Each structure stands twice: as C-alpha cells, then as structure tokens.
Amino acid sequence: MFGRRPRLKSLEQIGRELDALRAQQARQVFFVDDNLIGNRAQAKALLRFLAGLLRGGDLVDLAETLR
C-alpha cells in the first residue's frame, strides 16, 4: 500500500505466530492476504510450509476443520 513492493512475513515468523495462537488454544486460523498470489514463489513456499505442518500433525485441528 505504501510502496512498490508488498512486505512479506518470513515462514519463521508465521510459524512463531501459529505457535502463539496454539498456546492460546486457538481452534481456527484464517489467512487473509490479497497479495498472496502476487508473489507466486512466496505463496508456494507458504503452502508447502503449512502442508509440512499438517503432515507433521502440528495443525491437526485445522485439518479436521477442512474436511
């Protein structure tokens, strides 16, 4: 919004935020970002990161919600 390049959170930062939400017993998490598809490589990296958490059992509640 205030520049030519959108700011991106690192995967490590997203992981820390998910950990903090889990510590607060959050049951659902929504990703809302209208710029997500603007950087295809970052979007793929984020989705792979989240898929790895799902496979590892770290986001079991999210997986159950998606079914």
Side-chain angles (χ1 to χ4, degrees):
M1 183 169 171
F2 298 109
R4 295 181 185 266
R5 289 182 22 197
R7 292 173 284 165
L8 303 172
K9 291 187 179 187
S10 68
L11 297 178
E12 293 79 17
Q13 176 64 32
I14 293 170
R16 286 192 300 271
E17 290 181 17
L18 289 172
D19 288 341
L21 289 168
R22 186 179 301 115
Q24 295 176 11
Q25 299 179 343
R27 303 233 355 122
Q28 295 179 346
V29 176
F30 296 90
F31 286 85
V32 179
D33 184 356
D34 57 346
N35 292 315
L36 181 65
I37 61 170
N39 184 331
R40 190 173 186 171
Q42 182 68 17
K44 281 185 175 183
L46 173 61
L47 294 174
R48 287 185 178 125
F49 176 74
L50 293 174
L53 292 177
L54 282 169
R55 277 194 293 276
D58 291 337
L59 295 178
V60 173
D61 289 339
L62 177 61
E64 292 301 318
T65 301
L66 293 174
R67 287 186 187 159

